[in-house]
Amino acid sequence: MIRKQPPPVKFDLIVAGAGHAGCEAAMAAANLGLKTLLLTINVDRIGHLSCNPAIGGLAKGHMVKEIDALGGYMGLWSDKAGIQFRILNTRKGPAVRASRAQMDRNEYMRVVQKDIFAQENLWVKQDTAESLIVEDGKAAGVLTGIGERFMSHTVMLTTGTFLQGLIHIGMENFSGGRMGDPASVGMSASLKGIGLTLGRLKTGTTPRLLKDSIDYDKLEAQYGDNPPQPFSFRTEEIKLPQVPCHITYTNEKTHDAIRSGFERSPMFTGVIKGTGARYCPSIEDKVARFPEKGRHQIFLEPEGYESPEVYPSGIPTSLPLDVQKRMINSIEGLEDAQIVRPGYAIEYDFVPPTQLLPTLETKALPGLYLAGQINGTSGYEEAAAQGLWAACNAFCKLNGRAPFVLSRDQAYIAVLVDDLVTKGTQEPYRMFTSRAEYRLLLREGNADLRLTEIGRDLGLVKDAHWALYCAKKNGLDAVLGALNKIKIKPDQPTREILEKIGGTAPGKSVSLSAILRQPELSITDMKHFWPEISEFGEDVLLEAETQIKYEGYLVRQQELVDKFRKMESVALPDDLDYSEMAGLTREAVEKLTEVHPLTLGQASRISGITPAAISSIEIHLKKIGAI
C-alpha cells in the first residue's frame, strides 16, 4: 500500500525554504487541504536551529503560544525537543511574562522532519528555487537549480539568510546561506525582475565550543523551572530530562583581545555593507559602543544531550579566528575551551516589507508571498509566525475567503506583520513586548482564548485541540461565575479565615472576586470559601486571577481598542491620489503612496505621518463621499 500519493502536476502552493517559516507554512497549508511542495537546499537541515538552540523569550514566547493557539506546530515541536524550560519575568506583571526553552538541536530537527514527511498533502524535494515562473501577471511556479519546473497556483519564499548569502570570518569571505550550506544565487535577480526593490542585512552567530574542554566547576549553573511548563496548550507534560545552562562573563582581558582584532574586522573595515541587528549586536560592536562596561554576560547553552558542542550565547562575532581563540580563552571557565566551529557574520538580500500587502502577498506580483528573514525580521519565532500567516492567506485567496488579517489588539503576530508592511524596517526586526500598545490584552496565558476560535474557523484547529480549548473555556467561565456570585459576610468566621491567610476583612458583604483583588491574596486562597475551586486546572485559575486582579486596567485598554477600531473601519479607496490632497507634505505624500495603506488606522501608523496629515485625509474622504 502506498501511503504517500504521487505529487500533483500543479501544486496549490510551493514553499521555497524549509526553515522555521517554511516548515510552519508548509504544515499549515497542507493541513488546510492545499497540495503543497516544500523545496529545500538540504533535506537534512529541515527545521534546523541555525543560530542559538533555543525557542521563545520576551515577546517571542508570546508568538509561539499564538502559533499554537491557531493550530500551528512550533510549540508542539519545542515541547518534544526541549531540555530546559523557564518562565521569564515571573516577578513582573502577566503581560510581560514569557516562556523560553533550550532545545536539543538534533531532536528538534528529528521531530520536525517526522511531521513534515508524514503530513498528508505535503511533498518534499531537495533543490534550489532559482527563479519565479510568471504567467498572466501572476506567480505560477518556480524553476529550480537542476532545471525542474514546478507549477503552482501560489508561491511562497521563505529563504532566510540564503539570498546571495555571504559569510565573513575576519577579512575572509565566501558564498553561503549558512556555514555548510550553499547560498541561493538566482532568486534575487528574479525578484528584481518583477519590480521588487532589495536591500542588504547582516546577522551573526557565535563560535561553538567543545563541551569537554570547558571547566564547569568555575561557572554558575542556571536551572530551569521544576516542573517545566510547556509551550503548547496541547502538551500534557515535558518528557525529556532537563539540563542546566551555565553563566560566565567577559572581562577586560577579553575586551583587549577583541580590540586587537578591530583592524581585521569586516564590520569595522567596511567589508560588510549590510545593516546589522541593533538588538543582537556582535561582541566587537558591544565592546566598541560601550567601552565603559567592564563585562558582558555569556550563557553557555547545551546543544543537546549527545552533542559535543556548546553555544556561548552573547558573543556573536565575525572577528578573525585567531582573535576568536584569544577572546574565548580569556573568559573564566573557558581558559582551555576549544572552538569546534568559528563564529561568523552573514550578509544576505531581503525585500523591504512595505512592498507587501497585510496578507504578506507582494504588491508587485499577485500570488507571491514572502515570509521570514526575507521580510527583514530576525528570529525563529518571527519567521514561524509569518509562515503561518502567509499560508493562511494563500489558503483564503485560493478558496475565495476573506483575507486572514488579525488586528493589533488580537495578537503579537498581528503587531509583527502590521509593523513590517506599514512601517517597514531598515535593520533586522525583532519583536518586543513594548511594540504592542495593547500588551496587557496579549498575554501568553490567554493566547488560546484570543485565537483558537479563529484557528477553528480556518480549519487548522482539529477536534482534539478544540476539545481541550472548550474544556478550559468552560472551566474559566465556571470559576469566574462562581467568584462573582459567591458572597461572604463580614462575620467572625470570615475575619478569622482572612486573618489566617493574610487578607483584610470587608466591611460589608462582598463577592469572592472582590476579596481576591486584595494584593496579598491569591486565587488558591479562595478554597477556604469555595472548596470546589481546587478541582480546576492551574491554567484556568491563573487566567481567572489575572482577569479579576487586572480588571480595571483591562477595561481601560479595551476602551483604547474600541477607539482604534473606529479608525481601522475607515477603508481607503484603492485609487486614492495623495498628491491631490490639500495639507499633506511632500514626505507624507511619498510615504502614503509607497505603503498604500488600506485603512485610515494603518495610515496613522506609518512613520512620519502626523495627526495633521490624518486630518487632511479625513477631510478629503468627506469631500469625495468616502466617509
Side-chain angles (χ1 to χ4, degrees):
M1 176 181 174
I2 297 175
R3 295 180 59 191
K4 180 77 77 169
Q5 296 301 313
V9 175
K10 187 172 185 177
F11 293 92
D12 294 312
L13 173 66
I14 294 173
V15 179
H20 303 283
C23 289
E24 203 68 61
M27 290 295 290
N31 267 310
L32 290 169
L34 301 187
K35 303 297 183 183
T36 305
L37 173 64
L38 181 61
L39 273 179
T40 176
I41 286 177
N42 187 345
V43 166
D44 294 334
R45 296 289 191 99
I46 292 174
H48 183 55
L49 298 159
S50 299
C51 195
N52 64 315
I55 299 289
L58 301 181
K60 293 169 175 282
H62 290 73
M63 288 190 290
V64 178
K65 296 273 190 179
E66 291 175 351
I67 290 168
D68 183 71
L70 286 164
Y73 280 82
M74 178 171 265
L76 285 171
W77 291 333
S78 299
D79 292 342
K80 291 177 181 177
I83 55 178
Q84 188 197 94
F85 290 77
R86 292 178 62 221
I87 305 296
L88 309 180
N89 282 345
T90 55
R91 297 182 180 179
K92 297 183 179 180
V96 294
R97 292 173 195 156
S99 302
R100 186 179 188 274
Q102 295 296 139
M103 296 295 112
D104 182 308
R105 191 187 295 275
N106 289 332
E107 182 65 10
Y108 190 85
M109 283 195 294
R110 189 191 71 79
V111 299
V112 172
Q113 291 174 23
K114 181 181 178 181
D115 282 347
I116 290 286
F117 279 98
Q119 178 61 47
E120 187 180 357
N121 296 321
L122 178 57
W123 290 264
V124 178
K125 300 287 184 181
Q126 179 167 299
D127 206 344
T128 306
E130 284 294 306
S131 61
L132 296 166
I133 297 173
V134 179
E135 291 183 354
D136 300 323
K138 300 177 182 178
V142 298
L143 180 65
T144 74
I146 59 175
E148 285 197 274
R149 289 170 59 91
F150 292 109
M151 306 303 292
S152 63
H153 296 289
T154 56
V155 175
M156 187 190 307
L157 301 183
T158 65
T159 51
T161 60
F162 280 70
L163 285 184
Q164 299 283 8
L166 187 64
I167 293 172
H168 297 268
I169 303 174
M171 302 307 290
E172 303 295 325
N173 57 70
F174 51 91
S175 177
R178 63 182 161 222
M179 187 71 81
D181 285 315
S184 174
V185 296
M187 186 57 72
S188 291
S190 188
L191 292 173
K192 291 178 182 177
I194 63 170
L196 290 172
T197 299
L198 272 59
R200 198 81 168 150
L201 295 178
K202 182 220 84 165
T203 189
T205 190
T206 73
R208 268 61 159 191
L209 309 180
L210 184 66
K211 185 189 332 186
D212 291 343
S213 67
I214 296 172
D215 187 352
Y216 285 101
D217 291 337
K218 294 183 177 181
L219 304 178
E220 173 190 347
Q222 183 185 74
Y223 294 90
D225 297 335
N226 187 20
Q229 299 299 309
F231 273 114
S232 177
F233 302 101
R234 294 168 276 174
T235 299
E236 293 184 5
E237 63 175 335
I238 302 300
K239 296 183 178 180
L240 292 183
Q242 302 294 283
V243 302
C245 295
H246 289 80
I247 299 172
T248 187
Y249 299 87
T250 64
N251 52 57
E252 282 302 333
K253 186 177 178 181
T254 311
H255 299 175
D256 287 341
I258 292 168
R259 293 186 191 99
S260 73
F262 281 0
E263 292 183 356
R264 292 184 291 147
S265 163
M267 186 175 70
F268 293 135
T269 56
V271 174
I272 292 176
K273 306 297 183 184
T275 304
R278 178 192 306 266
Y279 304 107
C280 188
S282 66
I283 186 61
E284 53 265 39
D285 193 22
K286 286 192 279 190
V287 168
R289 289 169 55 193
F290 307 106
E292 75 285 354
K293 193 163 185 178
R295 68 177 192 172
H296 297 278
Q297 191 175 66
I298 302 169
F299 280 95
L300 297 176
E301 303 177 357
E303 299 258 344
Y305 292 119
E306 298 180 0
S307 173
E309 294 177 271
V310 169
Y311 184 95
S313 181
I315 51 171
T317 183
S318 59
L319 289 167
L321 184 55
D322 63 296
V323 178
Q324 292 188 36
K325 291 178 180 177
R326 290 202 304 276
M327 172 186 74
I328 291 295
N329 295 147
S330 69
I331 297 168
E332 186 173 18
L334 308 183
E335 292 88 350
D336 297 310
Q338 301 170 30
I339 294 177
V340 179
R341 311 184 200 208
Y344 63 90
I346 182 168
E347 288 185 280
Y348 54 95
D349 288 347
F350 84 109
V351 176
T354 52
Q355 300 172 92
L356 306 177
L357 295 169
T359 57
L360 296 183
E361 185 178 20
T362 61
K363 298 172 183 176
L365 183 65
L368 174 63
Y369 295 82
L370 308 181
Q373 283 180 280
I374 191 173
N375 292 338
T377 58
S378 66
Y380 308 144
E381 305 81 6
E382 289 90 342
Q386 292 172 71
L388 178 63
W389 184 286
C392 290
N393 276 296
F395 165 76
C396 290
K397 183 183 182 76
L398 293 175
N399 286 275
R401 294 177 55 133
F404 172 79
V405 179
L406 304 175
S407 63
R408 295 177 70 93
D409 62 291
Q410 289 179 289
Y412 271 93
I413 298 175
V415 175
L416 165 69
V417 173
D418 185 62
D419 279 355
L420 292 174
V421 303
T422 302
K423 301 176 183 178
T425 186
Q426 299 300 317
E427 60 187 66
Y429 177 103
R430 180 179 179 178
M431 178 54 72
F432 295 101
T433 55
S434 59
R435 295 191 189 273
E437 57 270 48
Y438 310 115
R439 57 186 172 274
L440 191 54
L441 301 178
L442 307 181
R443 307 180 302 279
E444 274 198 358
N446 72 348
D448 53 346
L449 301 174
R450 290 184 275 119
L451 299 173
T452 304
E453 293 182 23
I454 295 173
R456 180 70 170 180
D457 180 64
L458 275 169
L460 281 176
V461 172
K462 306 306 180 185
D463 289 346
H465 184 179
W466 181 247
L468 289 172
Y469 165 76
C470 290
K472 177 180 176 179
K473 190 172 186 301
N474 291 337
L476 180 62
D477 290 343
V479 171
L480 291 173
L483 293 178
N484 286 321
K485 182 179 180 180
I486 297 173
K487 305 283 186 180
I488 60 172
K489 298 178 181 179
D491 53 20
Q492 184 62 28
T494 296
R495 283 195 293 271
E496 290 177 358
I497 291 173
L498 287 170
E499 182 177 341
K500 180 180 177 181
I501 62 178
T504 303
K508 59 180 181 179
S509 293
V510 296
S511 67
L512 288 183
S513 59
I515 290 293
L516 180 55
R517 291 191 183 95
Q518 295 183 23
E520 301 83 8
L521 301 182
S522 70
I523 194 165
T524 54
D525 292 323
M526 299 302 104
K527 66 185 178 184
H528 296 284
F529 305 103
W530 182 42
E532 291 83 358
I533 199 170
S534 301
E535 300 173 5
F536 294 90
E538 183 180 350
D539 57 340
V540 170
L541 297 182
L542 180 59
E543 179 58 26
E545 182 172 17
T546 300
Q547 290 191 22
I548 289 171
K549 284 186 176 289
Y550 290 84
E551 182 181 16
Y553 298 102
L554 294 172
V555 168
R556 285 196 287 274
Q557 195 140 100
Q558 188 60 51
E559 290 171 353
L560 294 175
V561 168
D562 293 340
K563 293 180 181 179
F564 157 76
R565 285 183 173 168
K566 288 181 180 179
M567 291 190 72
E568 288 299 309
S569 67
V570 179
L572 299 179
D574 290 338
D575 58 353
L576 211 55
D577 187 347
Y578 294 101
S579 65
E580 294 181 351
M581 291 187 192
L584 291 182
T585 65
R586 181 178 296 177
E587 176 190 10
V589 170
E590 290 175 356
K591 290 185 174 181
L592 289 163
T593 303
E594 176 191 1
V595 175
H596 196 72
L598 300 183
T599 68
L600 192 62
Q602 186 185 3
S604 71
R605 296 189 297 277
I606 298 174
S607 299
I609 300 302
T610 64
I614 296 300
S615 295
S616 296
I617 297 173
E618 286 185 288
I619 291 170
H620 182 81
L621 293 175
K622 289 176 182 177
K623 284 183 178 179
I624 63 174
I627 57 175

